[in-house]
Amino acid sequence: MNDMQFSAVTRVNGPLLILAGAGSGKTTVLVNRIANLVKFGNGYHSSMVPEGITPEQIAAGEAFLNGEADFVPNGCFAVSPVHPWQILAITFTNKAAGELKERIAARLGEDANDLWAGTFHSVCGKILRRYGDRLGYTSHFTIYDTDDQRRLMKQIMKEIGEDEKILPHKSVLSAISRAKDQLITPQEYNASAADYRQKKDRAVVYGLSETPVGSRCDGF
Ligand SMILES: Nc1ncnc2c1ncn2[C@@H]1O[C@H](COP(=O)(O)OP(=O)(O)OP(=O)(O)O)[C@@H](O)[C@H]1O
Ligand SMILES: [Mg+2]
Protein backbone atom coordinates (compact mmCIF):
# COMPACT_ATOMS: atom_id res chain seq x y z
CA MET A 1 0.00 0.00 0.00
CA ASN A 2 1.16 3.56 -0.59
CA ASP A 3 1.22 6.25 2.11
CA MET A 4 -2.27 7.62 1.36
CA GLN A 5 -3.75 4.13 1.42
CA PHE A 6 -1.97 3.33 4.65
CA SER A 7 -3.15 6.49 6.34
CA ALA A 8 -6.75 5.73 5.28
CA VAL A 9 -6.46 2.17 6.55
CA THR A 10 -5.17 3.17 9.96
CA ARG A 11 -7.56 6.06 10.47
CA VAL A 12 -10.12 4.58 12.81
CA ASN A 13 -12.16 7.33 14.47
CA GLY A 14 -14.58 9.63 12.68
CA PRO A 15 -15.82 9.64 9.10
CA LEU A 16 -13.57 9.07 6.12
CA LEU A 17 -14.31 9.67 2.43
CA ILE A 18 -12.07 8.13 -0.20
CA LEU A 19 -12.25 9.42 -3.76
CA ALA A 20 -9.95 7.75 -6.27
CA GLY A 21 -10.01 6.65 -9.88
CA ALA A 22 -10.81 3.25 -11.36
CA GLY A 23 -8.35 0.52 -10.47
CA SER A 24 -6.36 2.79 -8.18
CA GLY A 25 -6.67 0.70 -5.01
CA LYS A 26 -9.95 1.71 -3.31
CA THR A 27 -11.11 -1.81 -2.54
CA THR A 28 -7.64 -2.60 -1.24
CA VAL A 29 -8.09 0.25 1.26
CA LEU A 30 -11.57 -0.88 2.26
CA VAL A 31 -10.53 -4.47 2.80
CA ASN A 32 -7.42 -3.57 4.78
CA ARG A 33 -9.28 -0.96 6.77
CA ILE A 34 -11.89 -3.53 7.81
CA ALA A 35 -9.16 -6.02 8.69
CA ASN A 36 -7.34 -3.34 10.70
CA LEU A 37 -10.52 -2.42 12.62
CA VAL A 38 -11.19 -6.03 13.55
CA LYS A 39 -7.63 -7.08 14.30
CA PHE A 40 -6.19 -3.95 15.90
CA GLY A 41 -8.95 -1.42 16.48
CA ASN A 42 -7.12 1.80 17.30
CA GLY A 43 -3.88 -0.04 18.06
CA TYR A 44 -1.84 1.69 15.37
CA HIS A 45 -2.25 5.12 16.95
CA SER A 46 -1.81 3.85 20.48
CA SER A 47 1.51 3.92 22.31
CA MET A 48 0.45 1.05 24.53
CA VAL A 49 2.97 -1.80 24.54
CA PRO A 50 1.30 -5.05 25.48
CA GLU A 51 3.00 -6.91 28.27
CA GLY A 52 5.18 -9.83 27.25
CA ILE A 53 5.19 -8.97 23.55
CA THR A 54 7.83 -10.85 21.57
CA PRO A 55 9.94 -9.59 18.61
CA GLU A 56 8.23 -12.27 16.48
CA GLN A 57 4.82 -10.84 17.33
CA ILE A 58 5.97 -7.32 16.47
CA ALA A 59 7.33 -8.55 13.14
CA ALA A 60 4.05 -10.40 12.46
CA GLY A 61 2.08 -7.22 13.19
CA GLU A 62 4.23 -5.14 10.85
CA ALA A 63 3.97 -7.74 8.10
CA PHE A 64 0.18 -7.72 8.45
CA LEU A 65 -0.04 -3.94 8.24
CA ASN A 66 2.21 -3.95 5.17
CA GLY A 67 -0.05 -6.49 3.52
CA GLU A 68 2.73 -9.09 3.48
CA ALA A 69 0.96 -11.49 5.82
CA ASP A 70 -2.70 -12.40 6.01
CA PHE A 71 -2.87 -13.12 9.69
CA VAL A 72 -1.39 -12.08 13.01
CA PRO A 73 -2.14 -13.67 16.38
CA ASN A 74 -5.49 -12.29 17.55
CA GLY A 75 -5.50 -9.66 20.26
CA CYS A 76 -1.73 -9.06 20.26
CA PHE A 77 -1.77 -5.33 19.61
CA ALA A 78 -5.45 -4.60 19.67
CA VAL A 79 -6.86 -1.44 21.30
CA SER A 80 -10.68 -1.40 21.36
CA PRO A 81 -10.99 -3.74 18.36
CA VAL A 82 -14.28 -3.73 16.49
CA HIS A 83 -16.48 -6.84 16.38
CA PRO A 84 -16.97 -8.09 12.81
CA TRP A 85 -20.76 -7.87 13.23
CA GLN A 86 -20.43 -4.15 13.96
CA ILE A 87 -19.16 -3.54 10.45
CA LEU A 88 -21.44 -2.84 7.50
CA ALA A 89 -19.80 -2.97 4.06
CA ILE A 90 -22.23 -2.30 1.24
CA THR A 91 -21.87 -1.74 -2.46
CA PHE A 92 -24.15 -1.65 -5.47
CA THR A 93 -23.59 -4.56 -7.85
CA ASN A 94 -23.49 -8.28 -7.13
CA LYS A 95 -20.08 -8.41 -8.82
CA ALA A 96 -18.57 -5.72 -6.58
CA ALA A 97 -20.15 -7.28 -3.48
CA GLY A 98 -18.80 -10.72 -4.44
CA GLU A 99 -15.29 -9.33 -4.87
CA LEU A 100 -15.49 -7.41 -1.60
CA LYS A 101 -16.66 -10.45 0.36
CA GLU A 102 -14.05 -12.69 -1.20
CA ARG A 103 -11.22 -10.28 -0.45
CA ILE A 104 -12.40 -9.67 3.12
CA ALA A 105 -12.64 -13.44 3.69
CA ALA A 106 -9.10 -13.92 2.35
CA ARG A 107 -7.86 -11.26 4.76
CA LEU A 108 -9.91 -12.03 7.85
CA GLY A 109 -10.61 -15.76 7.67
CA GLU A 110 -13.55 -16.95 9.77
CA ASP A 111 -14.25 -13.52 11.29
CA ALA A 112 -15.46 -12.47 7.83
CA ASN A 113 -18.60 -14.62 8.22
CA ASP A 114 -19.98 -12.30 10.89
CA LEU A 115 -19.57 -9.13 8.87
CA TRP A 116 -22.57 -7.41 7.27
CA ALA A 117 -21.26 -7.30 3.70
CA GLY A 118 -23.11 -7.38 0.38
CA THR A 119 -25.26 -5.30 -1.94
CA PHE A 120 -27.66 -2.69 -0.55
CA HIS A 121 -30.51 -5.01 -1.46
CA SER A 122 -29.11 -8.23 0.00
CA VAL A 123 -28.02 -6.62 3.27
CA CYS A 124 -31.36 -4.84 3.72
CA GLY A 125 -33.17 -8.10 2.89
CA LYS A 126 -31.11 -9.88 5.54
CA ILE A 127 -31.84 -7.18 8.14
CA LEU A 128 -35.56 -7.42 7.40
CA ARG A 129 -35.52 -11.20 7.58
CA ARG A 130 -33.75 -11.13 10.91
CA TYR A 131 -35.41 -8.14 12.57
CA GLY A 132 -38.50 -7.45 10.43
CA ASP A 133 -40.76 -8.86 13.16
CA ARG A 134 -40.19 -5.58 14.98
CA LEU A 135 -41.98 -3.85 12.12
CA GLY A 136 -44.74 -6.44 12.02
CA TYR A 137 -43.31 -8.54 9.15
CA THR A 138 -42.73 -12.26 9.37
CA SER A 139 -39.39 -13.68 8.31
CA HIS A 140 -41.10 -15.48 5.41
CA PHE A 141 -41.83 -12.46 3.24
CA THR A 142 -41.23 -12.56 -0.50
CA ILE A 143 -39.59 -9.71 -2.37
CA TYR A 144 -41.43 -8.87 -5.59
CA ASP A 145 -39.38 -8.06 -8.64
CA THR A 146 -40.67 -5.80 -11.41
CA ASP A 147 -42.57 -8.63 -13.12
CA ASP A 148 -44.19 -9.76 -9.86
CA GLN A 149 -45.28 -6.19 -9.15
CA ARG A 150 -46.77 -5.80 -12.61
CA ARG A 151 -48.67 -9.09 -12.30
CA LEU A 152 -50.00 -8.09 -8.88
CA MET A 153 -51.18 -4.71 -10.19
CA LYS A 154 -52.95 -6.30 -13.16
CA GLN A 155 -54.62 -8.86 -10.93
CA ILE A 156 -55.88 -6.23 -8.49
CA MET A 157 -57.11 -3.97 -11.30
CA LYS A 158 -59.03 -6.88 -12.75
CA GLU A 159 -60.51 -7.74 -9.35
CA ILE A 160 -61.82 -4.25 -8.79
CA GLY A 161 -62.83 -3.76 -12.42
CA GLU A 162 -60.45 -0.90 -13.06
CA ASP A 163 -59.66 -0.04 -16.66
CA GLU A 164 -55.95 -0.10 -17.49
CA LYS A 165 -56.55 2.67 -20.05
CA ILE A 166 -57.89 4.99 -17.36
CA LEU A 167 -55.53 3.91 -14.61
CA PRO A 168 -52.31 2.52 -16.15
CA HIS A 169 -50.64 0.06 -13.79
CA LYS A 170 -47.28 1.81 -14.28
CA SER A 171 -48.66 5.06 -12.89
CA VAL A 172 -50.12 3.18 -9.92
CA LEU A 173 -46.82 1.45 -9.25
CA SER A 174 -44.86 4.67 -9.29
CA ALA A 175 -47.46 6.36 -7.06
CA ILE A 176 -47.16 3.48 -4.57
CA SER A 177 -43.38 3.65 -4.75
CA ARG A 178 -43.40 7.40 -4.05
CA ALA A 179 -45.84 6.96 -1.18
CA LYS A 180 -43.69 4.22 0.35
CA ASP A 181 -40.57 6.37 0.02
CA GLN A 182 -42.36 8.97 2.13
CA LEU A 183 -43.69 6.35 4.58
CA ILE A 184 -47.27 7.20 3.58
CA THR A 185 -49.66 4.34 4.37
CA PRO A 186 -52.59 3.41 2.08
CA GLN A 187 -54.95 4.97 4.64
CA GLU A 188 -53.03 8.25 4.67
CA TYR A 189 -52.77 8.19 0.89
CA ASN A 190 -56.52 7.71 0.66
CA ALA A 191 -57.18 10.50 3.15
CA SER A 192 -55.03 12.89 1.11
CA ALA A 193 -56.88 12.05 -2.12
CA ALA A 194 -59.92 14.20 -1.18
CA ASP A 195 -62.28 14.06 -4.18
CA TYR A 196 -59.59 13.35 -6.71
CA ARG A 197 -60.99 10.23 -8.34
CA GLN A 198 -57.81 8.81 -9.82
CA LYS A 199 -55.91 9.21 -6.59
CA LYS A 200 -58.75 7.51 -4.71
CA ASP A 201 -58.52 4.59 -7.12
CA ARG A 202 -54.77 4.40 -6.72
CA ALA A 203 -55.30 4.35 -2.94
CA VAL A 204 -57.61 1.34 -3.29
CA VAL A 205 -55.02 -0.56 -5.34
CA TYR A 206 -52.29 0.44 -2.88
CA GLY A 207 -54.37 -0.83 0.03
CA LEU A 208 -55.11 -4.16 -1.66
CA SER A 209 -51.47 -4.62 -2.63
CA GLU A 210 -50.56 -4.41 1.05
CA THR A 211 -52.92 -7.23 2.00
CA PRO A 212 -50.97 -10.37 2.95
CA VAL A 213 -50.27 -12.63 -0.01
CA GLY A 214 -51.95 -15.78 1.31
CA SER A 215 -55.25 -14.06 1.91
CA ARG A 216 -55.77 -12.55 -1.51
CA CYS A 217 -53.30 -13.20 -4.28
CA ASP A 218 -52.67 -16.93 -4.32
CA GLY A 219 -50.53 -17.99 -7.20
CA PHE A 220 -47.86 -15.34 -6.69
N1 LIG B 1 -0.34 0.61 -3.56
C1 LIG B 1 -0.43 -0.37 -4.46
N2 LIG B 1 0.65 -0.80 -5.10
C2 LIG B 1 0.56 -1.77 -6.03
N3 LIG B 1 -0.57 -2.40 -6.37
C3 LIG B 1 -1.70 -2.02 -5.75
C4 LIG B 1 -1.71 -0.98 -4.77
N4 LIG B 1 -2.98 -0.81 -4.33
C5 LIG B 1 -3.72 -1.70 -5.01
N5 LIG B 1 -2.97 -2.43 -5.85
C6 LIG B 1 -3.41 -3.49 -6.78
O1 LIG B 1 -4.10 -2.83 -7.85
C7 LIG B 1 -5.20 -3.62 -8.28
C8 LIG B 1 -6.49 -2.80 -8.18
O2 LIG B 1 -6.75 -2.52 -6.82
P1 LIG B 1 -8.23 -2.39 -6.24
O3 LIG B 1 -9.06 -3.53 -6.69
O4 LIG B 1 -8.11 -2.16 -4.79
O5 LIG B 1 -8.66 -1.05 -6.97
P2 LIG B 1 -10.11 -0.34 -7.06
O6 LIG B 1 -9.85 1.13 -7.02
O7 LIG B 1 -11.02 -0.91 -6.05
O8 LIG B 1 -10.54 -0.81 -8.51
P3 LIG B 1 -12.01 -0.68 -9.19
O9 LIG B 1 -12.16 0.75 -9.62
O10 LIG B 1 -11.90 -1.63 -10.34
O11 LIG B 1 -13.01 -1.09 -8.17
C9 LIG B 1 -5.22 -4.86 -7.41
O12 LIG B 1 -4.57 -5.90 -8.08
C10 LIG B 1 -4.43 -4.43 -6.18
O13 LIG B 1 -3.79 -5.54 -5.58
MG1 LIG C 1 -12.93 -1.79 -6.29
Side-chain angles (χ1 to χ4, degrees):
M1 278 185 292
N2 61 34
D3 289 349
M4 287 304 282
Q5 286 175 312
F6 192 78
S7 101
V9 165
T10 51
R11 184 185 155 126
V12 167
N13 295 312
L16 177 68
L17 172 68
I18 295 167
L19 295 171
S24 60
K26 302 178 296 292
T27 304
T28 303
V29 169
L30 275 183
V31 169
N32 282 291
R33 189 156 186 268
I34 288 169
N36 181 58
L37 284 168
V38 172
K39 293 275 183 188
F40 306 115
N42 207 17
Y44 184 77
H45 292 293
S46 162
S47 54
M48 184 199 81
V49 179
E51 266 179 52
I53 194 97
T54 64
E56 288 76 25
Q57 286 172 321
I58 293 173
E62 281 173 350
F64 179 80
L65 280 179
N66 292 330
E68 291 155 13
D70 285 340
F71 301 102
V72 289
N74 271 335
C76 243
F77 309 93
V79 175
S80 317
V82 175
H83 296 291
W85 47 263
Q86 292 176 308
I87 294 177
L88 173 66
I90 41 178
T91 179
F92 201 73
T93 64
N94 283 325
K95 186 165 172 276
E99 183 202 335
L100 190 64
K101 284 200 273 194
E102 208 171 277
R103 288 173 68 175
I104 293 171
R107 201 85 175 93
L108 270 184
E110 276 196 4
D111 278 345
N113 297 334
D114 297 330
L115 219 82
W116 289 86
T119 60
F120 289 91
H121 295 86
S122 75
V123 169
C124 291
K126 206 163 134 188
I127 292 172
L128 275 177
R129 238 175 260 287
R130 199 170 292 180
Y131 301 110
D133 56 338
R134 297 174 196 192
L135 295 172
Y137 294 108
T138 75
S139 57
H140 304 294
F141 61 85
T142 309
I143 295 174
Y144 279 16
D145 63 17
T146 314
D147 278 349
D148 296 332
Q149 292 173 5
R150 193 168 42 82
R151 269 203 301 276
L152 177 61
M153 285 301 110
K154 292 200 161 195
Q155 182 177 334
I156 293 173
M157 309 274 254
K158 203 166 146 199
E159 270 174 33
I160 61 174
E162 192 66 65
D163 188 345
E164 167 83 19
K165 286 195 202 84
I166 295 168
L167 198 67
H169 74 269
K170 271 189 186 164
S171 77
V172 184
L173 273 175
S174 50
I176 292 175
S177 175
R178 274 197 305 277
K180 287 191 175 195
D181 281 347
Q182 296 167 50
L183 304 179
I184 296 172
T185 63
Q187 292 75 22
E188 288 163 345
Y189 190 86
N190 186 38
S192 73
D195 288 334
Y196 179 26
R197 169 73 205 280
Q198 217 182 27
K199 195 164 179 188
K200 280 258 174 236
D201 291 345
R202 287 203 293 257
V204 171
V205 181
Y206 183 16
L208 286 171
S209 75
E210 289 282 285
T211 315
V213 170
S215 63
R216 58 164 311 280
C217 39
D218 290 327
F220 273 91

